[in-house]
Amino acid sequence: PGCSAAMASSGSPGRAGTGTEPAPTADAAQLDTAEDFEVLEGEEEEEEEDLSELPPLEDVGRPPALPREDAQPPEPGAGEAAEDPQEWIDVLGSGLLKKKTLVPGQGVDSRPRKGQDVTIRLKATLEDGSVVEENPALTFTLGDCDVLQALDLCVQLLEMGETALIVSDAKYCYGAQGRSPDVPPNAALTLEVELLAARDAPDLELLSGKEKIELANRKRERGNFFYQQADYVLAINSYDIALKIIGSSSKVDFSPDEEAELLDVKVKCLNNLAASQLKLDHYEAALKSCNLVLEHQPGNIKALFRKGKVLAQQGEYRDAIPILKAALKLEPSNKTIHAELSKLVKKHADQKNVETEMYRKMLGNPSAAGTPGKCKDKLPWSIPWKWLFGATAIALGGVALSVVIAARN
């Protein structure tokens, strides 16, 4: 599914960068290492990473910023467009994302299609006119959420050669977190965009091993970016795209080293996919992702840990505990696994106590604490009512069987 589909399923639009992201943070590195263990949501145990402490998405309800009259001078040769400007187009009908043509393009038929690689000229400014990004030739796959959602949604409406002004709420840019150091939190952006080229994406079957690895890693890193932004639906979308690239058939032979590196990227994507699915409480999907990792690497600690967490969330403590013990055996010093395992052992013991008490009540033998003392003057020859009822039922059954046999004879 593309970026728009992911937005629809999430109910909360995500945020993305424009392709010139800052250097990966410590969180991004931890997402791909053996250190990214997070305890279950809402628990008190100390965590070894910060990913589970990320703030949730915020629905920023700020009105869209209008373009400054002095911040966007018309391009040379655009006099006709400036004299007769086109009306603003409300792209999503919410007033949070608007587009206006500055220089007309080559017609509706020249618009790019989702899945194509497009190249644009980009200039991004804040409401005060400060330029935060300029890129004379930014290339990305349209619809894959590789860039700001404002771009992904609006570039598909541009005609070849068209120059347009896009005014976007922070929701479709860098959101509540912003982009350090130049884009503050909740900052609306004005984007001047010119569509330079559009071409079909390369045939995955013809990619070399190195090209396929690079492309899959680029999508995976995009997923890591969304994970850090707490946009788990869009993170899942990016990881899915990376996995489709890795799993695509090929007409090119790969070296053993390339095959091993592709498998490594696949395992990272599946592990991070499971982490994102856990954040959304998609337990069956997360369990499937963990099992796919364990098919390739039975001793993968992160997959074992997350599988144990999934089973624990489903109340399957008896199955979760041995899996976490296996993970702890592989890495005995991991405090997060220790904490999770201790917590599950306690929950399992509480669960067994509840079940034992329930069975006692069902069998007519409640616990001693809630059972009144037996009547001391009870006659020694008295027969328990359960035995009497059972004997009566057996006798009646025998009579009924005799009647049936006699009737047949």
Side-chain angles (χ1 to χ4, degrees), residues 381-394:
W381 48 265
S382 62
I383 302 175
W385 67 269
K386 289 183 291 183
W387 292 2
L388 182 61
F389 178 79
T392 303
I394 293 173

Side-chain angles (χ1 to χ4, degrees), residues 31 36-42 47 49-56 226-228 230-233 235-236 239 271-283 286 306 309-310 313:
L31 197 63
D36 67 319
F37 295 104
E38 58 269 291
V39 298
L40 298 175
E41 291 289 348
E47 300 179 351
E49 64 167 349
D50 296 326
L51 291 179
S52 59
E53 296 292 335
L54 289 170
F226 285 126
Y227 189 96
Q228 291 176 351
D231 292 345
Y232 304 118
V233 170
I236 288 172
Y239 295 137
N271 259 328
N272 295 345
L273 180 63
S276 302
Q277 291 163 336
L278 262 174
K279 293 291 187 181
L280 297 175
D281 297 338
H282 295 171
Y283 300 130
R306 290 201 176 103
K309 286 180 64 175
V310 170
Q313 289 282 34

Side-chain angles (χ1 to χ4, degrees), residues 322-339:
I323 293 173
L324 288 179
K325 284 183 177 179
L328 190 60
K329 186 176 181 180
L330 293 170
E331 193 169 317
S333 61
N334 192 294
K335 296 180 181 179
T336 307
I337 302 178
H338 268 291

